[in-house]
């Protein structure tokens, strides 16, 4: 099994639109431990559209990721 903590600092892309901070969550696709994974995620600011490059900045207690647009 891959620990979600390993996602911290990893770059990836938005799989499903991420609403602006505080307005809900979307999904991101990242590669962790040589495996592609899709995680629920929230933006650290403005909305981020599908296909945008992101970096994981935080792993949250509810097993979502906070991401920043690159």
């Amino acid at each position: 099994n891959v620990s979600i903590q390993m996602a911290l600092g990893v770059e990836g892309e938005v799989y499903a639109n991420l609403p602006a901070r505080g307005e809900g969550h979307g999904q991101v696709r990242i590669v962790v431990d040589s495996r592609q994974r899709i995680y629920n995620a929230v933006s650290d600011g403005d909305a981020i559209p599908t296909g945008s490059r992101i970096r994981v900045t935080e792993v949250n207690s509810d097993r979502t990721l906070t991401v920043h647009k690159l």
Side-chain angles (χ1 to χ4, degrees):
N1 290 341
V2 174
S3 168
I4 193 170
Q5 296 298 327
M6 294 176 68
L8 190 61
V10 174
E11 292 183 14
E13 70 177 25
V14 176
Y15 183 72
N17 288 334
L18 298 177
R21 172 183 237 152
E23 295 182 10
H25 69 271
Q27 294 182 318
V28 295
R29 180 175 34 215
I30 59 175
V31 175
V32 177
D33 196 29
S34 302
R35 293 187 173 164
Q36 181 173 281
R37 302 280 184 179
I38 295 176
Y39 290 105
N40 289 332
V42 294
S43 170
D44 68 352
D46 294 335
I48 308 174
T50 298
S52 298
R53 298 291 299 164
I54 53 87
R55 175 175 287 124
V56 178
T57 57
E58 188 175 346
V59 177
N60 305 306
S61 61
D62 63 356
R63 297 189 52 80
T64 62
L65 304 175
T66 298
V67 301
H68 178 78
K69 185 177 179 183
L70 296 179

